[in-house]
Amino acid sequence: MEQSRSALAEQITERRRGVGDPRALVGEMRRAVLLVPVSGGGLWSARSGGVRWVCGFTDEAALARFAELRTGPDQPMDYAALLGARIVDEVVPSLGEPAGLAVDIATEDGSMFFPPVVGIVPDSAAVDAAERQGGHGHGR
């Protein structure tokens, strides 16, 4: 488990430096076990830019940085350990609104956003699915 988390963190660092393969990053995210805070009986998320972002963390240190910002130092935060693929393939589509995955949002220069687009989330949950299919809603 630890190896996949550090591999994702390394891929994120590479992409933020402008190197690395974006498809490899998505693949690593799908294989990684992410720690997702639980609040009010559900997974913690935030809305920004018209998108609901499920927040996941690559390791306990990244989660602890987030918890400290949200609840203060030394306050425990419940979390679920979920495979990245499960988050984007099952959780995101179940939300019924444009949603994506935000990883390590409390890590300075270490966060990465996986938006609700084709190739990251299922086509049924992707905001650009109609554009990718060449359809614009115009009939003849």
Side-chain angles (χ1 to χ4, degrees), residues 35-90:
L35 308 180
V36 182
V38 176
S39 175
L43 300 178
W44 195 90
S45 63
R47 283 188 178 78
S48 178
V51 175
R52 184 170 170 184
W53 298 98
V54 175
C55 300
F57 298 89
T58 55
D59 58 31
E60 289 182 349
L63 176 64
R65 283 189 293 274
F66 171 76
E68 187 170 337
L69 292 171
R70 292 286 303 157
T71 62
D74 302 321
Q75 292 295 313
M77 178 172 274
D78 291 334
Y79 64 89
L82 298 172
L83 203 56
R86 183 165 183 208
I87 297 169
V88 296
D89 291 347
E90 297 175 23

Side-chain angles (χ1 to χ4, degrees), residues 20-138:
D21 180 359
R23 288 173 298 192
L25 175 62
V26 171
E28 200 58 55
M29 173 273 294
R30 294 181 63 76
R31 289 184 294 275
V33 174
L34 296 169
L35 308 180
V36 182
V38 176
S39 175
L43 300 178
W44 195 90
S45 63
R47 283 188 178 78
S48 178
V51 175
R52 184 170 170 184
W53 298 98
V54 175
C55 300
F57 298 89
T58 55
D59 58 31
E60 289 182 349
L63 176 64
R65 283 189 293 274
F66 171 76
E68 187 170 337
L69 292 171
R70 292 286 303 157
T71 62
D74 302 321
Q75 292 295 313
M77 178 172 274
D78 291 334
Y79 64 89
L82 298 172
L83 203 56
R86 183 165 183 208
I87 297 169
V88 296
D89 291 347
E90 297 175 23
V91 174
V92 163
S94 75
L95 296 175
E97 63 183 297
L101 172 62
V103 176
D104 289 350
I105 59 170
T107 302
E108 190 174 323
D109 294 331
S111 62
M112 182 61 62
F113 293 83
F114 296 90
V117 296
V118 170
I120 295 178
V121 299
D123 289 358
S124 62
V127 296
D128 65 341
E131 294 171 22
R132 292 289 186 122
Q133 295 170 356
H136 298 286
H138 298 285

